[in-house]
Amino acid sequence: MDLFFARRLFGGNRNEGRGIAPIVRLSVIGITLSLMVMLITVSIAAGFKHNIRSLVYGYTGHLCIAPVAGTADHLHAPREMLAMLDNVPGVERIVPSVEMTGVAKTDSAFVGIMLIGGDSLQSPNPLFGKIVSGRYPSFRAADSVDNPILLPQATARQLRVSTGDKLRVYFAGDDRMRLRAFTVAGLYSGGKIGVPIALAPADVLRRVGGFGADDAGRLLLYIDNPDDADRVLTRVFDRLSASSFVEDQRLTINTAAELNPVMLDWLSALDTNVVILLTLMGLVGGFTMIAGLVVLVMDKTQFIGTLKALGSSESSLRRIFLYLAMMLVGRGMLWGNAIALVLCLLQQHFRWVRLLDPDIYYMDYVPVQVDWLTWLMVNLGTLLLTFLMLLAPTHIISRISPVRALRFE
């Protein structure tokens, strides 16, 4: 019966005196806006975390094996060594990485860049974001262009080059400068870590650096579970220490967190900010509904007096208005979810909202990632918090006298 009355009030016609007061509808709008902001906030935070981690892991891997600083500029990693490391429990794949710094120059401008070597056996590196023009180079012998290079969109704009243009890159050598000509195969949008990063054929960079076919600047190890990085690092260290591959080499192994502490600490600070914002918005939505419930009770004073005169208990009346308030909360949450989802999908697809300074955020747009489990937790948390905050205001019903209520207009 309590639920029946709540439904009648929820769906009643205001012109017949049974509907919801317009001011109460403002509380529904408050819930809608609060939940919408919370869902968009967690989606943006998830997008930032995903993109930043992709940048970090794309550049350093989950684990990184490199020569000790000052000892050598590359390491020797024969296939047998790679096969041994690939068999370590927890290791998913190993990517030998070759990097060279150079100066990209055109007739009108020049820019310092870092070139990372790619080959036909490697999968696309998430470090290179979204391709906005051209294509991701395949680095196969049958490639349609000679020495393809993938450039950041911002760098291409500085150099005034586009897909298909030739680009000269100068490398510093021991006794002279080395020049290599590349063809711009594509442009990508995304951030940069320190300097602009370009993707070029690994064999070209090996020849420039005087590396052998089995040499690499670093070995990037990707593992099944990034949270197990420390345990897998110990296994890899033990396996390398027991092998003969490092007898004449001085190598070091680090996790991504050790190599990029500032960026990953920033993500932890971002989580703290998100929790604070969610708490504040949840309280705003809850207090908005408290105000709406109080107005709702005052608006239905005659209804309350009639039911009291007919013998309804105060607990029954409190349940009626609590059910009604939660129905209104449900309506607000439904609209909040719908609006937030539409806005997130639009930003995901069109990337309309841009960042003013990509150098600070390592990307040039606001990333969005919809995590359904997170959305479910935010919805359940909002529903529970609002329900608990609405329990106390329903007790004002006990102060309403049936005699005065029936005279109330």
Side-chain angles (χ1 to χ4, degrees):
M1 185 61 70
D2 298 338
L3 186 58
F4 170 77
F5 279 124
R7 287 176 176 172
R8 292 286 293 178
L9 290 172
F10 180 72
N13 187 338
R14 181 64 187 169
N15 295 329
E16 299 176 3
R18 299 194 306 270
I20 303 301
I23 193 171
V24 177
R25 300 184 190 277
L26 294 178
S27 300
V28 177
I29 296 175
I31 286 289
T32 298
L33 295 178
S34 297
L35 184 61
M36 180 189 73
V37 170
M38 286 191 286
L39 293 176
I40 292 177
T41 298
V42 296
S43 298
I44 291 176
F48 267 111
K49 291 168 66 175
H50 177 267
N51 281 21
I52 294 297
R53 287 195 175 110
S54 294
L55 287 172
V56 170
Y57 296 149
Y59 184 63
T60 65
H62 298 127
L63 301 176
C64 178
I65 301 175
V68 174
T71 60
D73 59 356
H74 65 278
L75 58 84
H76 183 65
R79 294 182 179 179
E80 294 79 8
M81 177 180 175
L82 299 181
M84 178 195 71
L85 294 175
D86 194 42
N87 289 327
V88 173
V91 175
E92 179 186 355
R93 60 190 175 94
I94 303 171
V95 178
S97 178
V98 181
E99 302 103 17
M100 298 286 293
T101 56
V103 177
K105 187 179 183 303
T106 61
D107 295 336
S108 57
F110 63 91
V111 176
I113 61 174
M114 173 180 287
L115 291 91
I116 293 181
D119 59 43
S120 60
L121 300 179
Q122 295 179 5
S123 57
N125 192 327
L127 178 64
F128 298 102
K130 179 182 179 182
I131 305 300
V132 295
S133 177
R135 58 180 178 80
Y136 194 97
S138 64
F139 300 114
R140 293 187 176 90
D143 209 319
S144 58
V145 297
D146 295 329
N147 291 349
I149 187 171
L150 182 67
L151 284 176
Q153 187 178 30
T155 302
R157 195 177 296 117
Q158 287 179 274
L159 295 170
R160 298 178 184 175
V161 296
S162 58
T163 305
D165 291 345
K166 295 293 184 180
L167 180 66
R168 301 189 303 275
V169 180
Y170 294 84
F171 301 91
D174 295 333
D175 52 354
R176 62 186 176 86
M177 296 290 290
R178 294 182 174 88
L179 170 65
R180 292 294 183 274
F182 297 91
T183 303
V184 180
L187 308 177
Y188 73 91
S189 68
K192 60 182 183 180
I193 302 178
V195 297
I197 297 177
L199 182 67
D203 56 345
V204 173
L205 300 185
R206 284 193 174 94
R207 288 196 297 269
V208 171
F211 298 171
D214 292 333
D215 294 341
R218 299 176 300 162
L219 294 181
L220 309 184
L221 280 67
Y222 293 91
I223 61 181
D224 298 325
N225 184 5
D227 295 332
D228 292 335
D230 291 329
R231 283 192 289 270
V232 178
L233 183 148
T234 302
R235 296 172 193 157
V236 171
F237 179 84
D238 292 340
R239 190 69 62 90
L240 282 174
S241 300
S243 71
S244 60
F245 298 112
V246 295
E247 290 180 352
D248 299 326
Q249 304 185 81
R250 296 183 61 189
L251 305 179
T252 180
I253 178 170
N254 299 97
T255 64
E258 294 170 340
L259 296 173
N260 304 275
V262 175
M263 296 179 70
L264 296 180
D265 287 345
W266 179 62
L267 294 183
S268 299
L270 181 64
D271 288 337
T272 303
N273 294 337
V274 169
V275 171
I276 293 173
L277 182 59
L278 291 181
T279 302
L280 292 176
M281 294 308 300
L283 292 175
V284 168
F287 283 118
T288 301
M289 277 310 302
I290 287 176
L293 179 60
V294 171
V295 173
L296 185 61
V297 170
M298 298 303 296
D299 183 58
K300 298 300 178 184
T301 301
Q302 286 187 329
F303 172 79
I304 295 172
T306 301
L307 290 183
K308 278 192 172 185
L310 293 174
S312 293
S313 65
E314 292 181 359
S315 60
S316 176
L317 289 170
R318 285 199 297 270
R319 283 196 298 271
I320 291 173
F321 281 89
L322 189 59
Y323 290 153
L324 177 57
M326 294 310 295
M327 289 178 186
L328 294 172
V329 170
R331 174 182 288 179
M333 292 179 62
L334 181 62
W335 279 107
N337 278 273
I339 297 173
L341 181 60
V342 170
L343 292 177
C344 287
L345 292 179
L346 289 175
Q347 175 63 14
Q348 251 184 352
H349 185 74
F350 297 104
R351 297 182 176 179
W352 285 331
V353 183
R354 315 296 293 186
L355 294 171
L356 297 179
D357 194 346
D359 291 341
I360 295 178
Y361 298 100
Y362 306 102
M363 61 198 76
D364 56 4
Y365 67 97
V366 176
V368 172
Q369 184 179 40
V370 177
D371 185 333
W372 298 114
L373 179 59
T374 303
W375 276 43
L376 178 62
M377 296 302 293
V378 171
N379 275 274
L380 292 177
T382 301
L383 192 63
L384 178 61
L385 178 62
T386 307
F387 174 78
L388 294 176
M389 293 180 70
L390 290 175
L391 289 176
T394 58
H395 285 277
I396 64 173
I397 294 174
S398 61
R399 300 181 181 180
I400 298 176
S401 169
V403 176
R404 294 181 180 179
L406 292 174
R407 294 175 181 175
F408 182 80
E409 293 184 2

